[in-house]
Amino acid sequence: MMTDSSLIVKKPLPPFTRESAIEKVRLAEDAWNSRDPQRVSQVYSADTRWRNRSEFVTGQAGVVEFLQRKWAKELDYRLIKELWAFGGERIAVRFAYEWHDDSGNWFRSFGNENWAFNAQGLMFERHACINDLPIAEADRKFHWPLGRRPDDHPGLSEFGF
């Protein structure tokens, strides 16, 4: 059951400072690494609009449906996000994630996202551009146990991504 997102406040709130933007990015990374579509959907407004690659998603229910399909295909998903830029109610991030398909083929997906937040701190707009790079399993870099990335695990810049 979807929650009335107009009653939800997700801190930190805009306008963002560098510190609050970094916190918002890490909170998003943590939610996505949970691979729980219901949990992830709660940080988006009821009327959220996405463009993810060539797919357009609308509303929290659309987010849940999209993420269920995504994580049914992208197995053992591990994600790192990094702040790129921010201003007012907007944040830009770059990210990389590793995953494999049901045949055991590994990929590292790289991308950029542009986010816009309402006054309650819920994301109402998300634009994502993503490219997939086939990799050998031996070339994987993201080896933490499934779930939240440990604080001492290198980020994108440390990997030179």
Side-chain angles (χ1 to χ4, degrees), residues 41-160:
S41 74
Q42 298 307 302
V43 301
Y44 298 96
S45 66
D47 61 348
T48 193
R49 296 181 329 271
W50 288 18
R51 183 190 44 75
N52 193 89
R53 300 179 191 252
S54 61
E55 186 171 352
F56 293 82
V57 177
T58 305
Q60 287 180 328
V63 168
V64 169
E65 181 182 301
F66 170 84
L67 293 173
Q68 287 169 337
R69 285 192 323 272
K70 174 184 179 61
W71 290 321
K73 175 189 170 201
E74 296 177 355
L75 307 174
D76 290 324
Y77 174 97
R78 289 171 177 82
L79 165 74
I80 299 176
K81 291 183 182 281
E82 187 172 284
L83 177 67
W84 183 252
F86 69 96
E89 79 285 356
R90 298 183 184 275
I91 296 176
V93 300
R94 59 193 202 92
F95 62 88
Y97 61 91
E98 293 179 347
W99 58 280
H100 67 85
D101 63 18
D102 59 3
S103 296
N105 300 304
W106 280 92
F107 299 87
R108 185 173 302 121
S109 299
F110 296 95
N112 301 293
E113 293 176 313
N114 296 310
W115 301 340
F117 295 87
N118 64 21
Q120 291 77 36
L122 298 171
M123 192 183 304
F124 68 87
E125 197 168 353
R126 174 182 176 267
H127 303 279
C129 296
I130 307 166
N131 299 294
D132 301 320
L133 174 67
I135 60 172
E137 185 173 3
D139 293 333
R140 291 179 51 220
K141 303 289 186 195
F142 305 169
H143 293 285
W144 67 86
L146 289 176
R148 186 178 193 277
R149 176 173 56 100
D151 290 335
D152 62 350
H153 191 280
L156 296 181
S157 292
E158 289 85 359
F159 283 121

